[in-house]
Amino acid sequence: MMSNQPTLTSTDIWPSLPLDAWQDTYVTLHMWTQIIGKIRFAKTPWINHSWHIPLYLTVRGLTTSTIPYGSRIFQIDFDFIDHELLIQTSEGARRAIALYPRSVADFYQTVMETLRELDLHITINTKPNEVPDPIRFEQDETHAAYDADYANRCWRVLLQSDRVFREFRSHFSGKVSPVHFFWGSFDLAVTRFSGRSAPEHPGGVPNLPDVVAKEAYSQEVSSAGFWPGAGLSYPAFYSYAYPEPDGFKQAEVRPDAAFYSKELGEFILPYDAVREAESPDQMLLEFLQSTYEAAARLGNWNQKELQQLTFKSQLHS
């Protein structure tokens, strides 16, 4: 039987996301995700390296996953297909908040009022994190853009990146983070750990308590991710090591489009190089693997011990 599904090209699956085309939406959506992330943060037990605060990809957007409220459970989801914020409780209650051009202050007030309607009384720190010149959520009438098409495109890029990052994550048997979306920096990340302690991080991240950065980087890491490009002018994948071993910035990595940014202190692979590649998955995996290998080799990680065996072929035989 013939399928009625259209044949998708790599550029359909990995849509274009030029930063200048949706800059205002990007900034507004960043603040909206911070509000929802801070709600999760306020009610979720602390996990090492702040793993209790991120959001996660879904087939429709981003989710907090389940959040405890006493013996009750609730969850908040961004839906970038129907463009709404969905708040649900374990008792079956459901509220939807429309996503459209509205100020951060209006979005914040509506979310908090809706939570109270559901008998969820939660207080958050309304000062944004990891951004210069923050405006408290309840006062932010400046950021009020929402381009539904570009919000959907950003989610689709994150969704595909999440899929490839999960494949990369599966090849490591040591301590490794989930693939998660950090709302503070608005990036999707996955982090591998050597198993050794690291020198104390100097802190200094804008509007982020130094104690958080110091704990997050208390162990040696090789971390990679995707972000839409604030401060770079275009979307990109990144990879860095902490502490950065000698020779890391001069290491040869793949593919040819990748380079080390002295300004950012990390390897960069422009997103457009991936979306236009014959095999985007392969190019991205080459970048993730080669930058990890550079960090691990130069940092004297026990790569043999940390290598994950592949059981897929055995399990399906």
Side-chain angles (χ1 to χ4, degrees):
M1 184 174 65
M2 295 183 63
S3 172
N4 292 323
Q5 293 297 322
T7 301
L8 299 178
T9 67
S10 64
T11 51
D12 294 321
I13 297 171
W14 300 85
S16 64
L17 195 66
L19 182 61
D20 58 359
W22 75 298
Q23 179 75 58
D24 292 342
T25 294
Y26 177 11
V27 176
T28 302
L29 189 56
H30 188 181
M31 294 302 98
W32 290 0
T33 59
Q34 289 216 10
I35 291 168
I36 303 308
K38 283 172 176 274
I39 292 169
R40 183 186 184 209
F41 169 61
K43 302 304 295 182
T44 305
W46 187 281
I47 300 176
N48 61 181
H49 317 303
S50 299
W51 291 355
H52 59 303
I53 69 169
L55 306 179
Y56 308 97
L57 270 297
T58 74
V59 294
R60 300 186 69 90
L62 291 165
T63 184
T64 59
S65 71
T66 55
I67 303 172
Y69 187 86
S71 60
R72 301 171 65 201
I73 304 293
F74 71 103
Q75 178 172 307
I76 307 178
D77 294 335
F78 282 97
D79 182 334
F80 296 121
I81 295 177
D82 286 341
H83 301 284
E84 62 182 17
L85 184 81
L86 184 63
I87 305 176
Q88 301 178 88
T89 74
S90 53
E91 296 88 4
R94 182 184 187 276
R95 299 288 188 278
I97 298 170
L99 302 181
Y100 59 85
R102 62 196 301 174
S103 71
V104 171
D106 180 53
F107 179 82
Y108 168 75
Q109 181 179 353
T110 302
V111 168
M112 302 312 286
E113 287 177 352
T114 303
L115 288 173
R116 288 193 290 271
E117 288 176 6
L118 295 168
D119 201 22
L120 299 169
H121 302 277
I122 300 167
T123 301
I124 65 173
N125 183 335
T126 62
K127 183 179 180 181
N129 295 116
E130 299 185 59
V131 295
D133 306 317
I135 306 171
R136 289 192 176 274
F137 302 139
E138 70 273 21
Q139 300 170 359
D140 189 352
E141 300 288 349
T142 301
H143 304 114
Y146 187 77
D147 185 316
D149 176 52
Y150 275 98
N152 178 272
R153 292 191 196 194
C154 179
W155 158 68
R156 286 193 284 146
V157 174
L158 292 171
L159 192 64
Q160 294 302 319
S161 301
D162 177 82
R163 176 179 60 80
V164 177
F165 288 0
R166 285 171 181 262
E167 174 68 24
F168 172 68
R169 182 184 188 272
S170 72
H171 300 166
F172 193 74
S173 65
K175 177 179 174 179
V176 59
S177 76
V179 179
H180 41 205
F181 178 83
F182 279 110
W183 41 264
S185 48
F186 202 88
D187 69 325
L188 187 73
V190 61
T191 303
R192 293 177 170 186
F193 293 76
S194 74
R196 300 191 299 252
S197 298
E200 184 174 83
H201 192 277
V205 179
N207 295 297
L208 182 73
D210 285 349
V211 65
V212 175
K214 291 177 187 294
E215 193 279 330
Y217 291 101
S218 59
Q219 298 177 30
E220 292 181 343
V221 299
S222 172
S223 189
F226 168 84
W227 95 108
L232 185 63
S233 78
Y234 56 85
F237 297 96
Y238 65 82
S239 181
Y240 65 88
Y242 183 81
E244 183 178 295
D246 292 340
F248 182 67
K249 57 176 60 71
Q250 292 85 24
E252 293 186 9
V253 302
R254 302 183 303 276
D256 292 341
F259 65 94
Y260 185 87
S261 168
K262 293 183 179 179
E263 180 181 0
L264 298 175
E266 53 197 27
F267 281 100
I268 296 296
L269 175 61
Y271 169 68
D272 282 348
V274 173
R275 70 178 293 267
E276 294 168 2
E278 182 177 349
S279 175
D281 289 23
Q282 181 178 345
M283 177 178 282
L284 180 51
L285 284 169
E286 284 183 349
F287 176 71
L288 298 172
Q289 185 63 28
S290 65
T291 52
Y292 159 70
E293 288 176 352
R297 181 181 70 256
L298 296 168
N300 296 314
W301 291 29
N302 189 335
Q303 294 183 72
K304 184 176 180 180
E305 182 176 311
L306 295 171
Q307 186 66 34
Q308 176 69 48
L309 295 176
T310 301
F311 294 104
K312 186 182 297 184
S313 60
Q314 298 177 34
L315 291 173
H316 290 279
S317 60

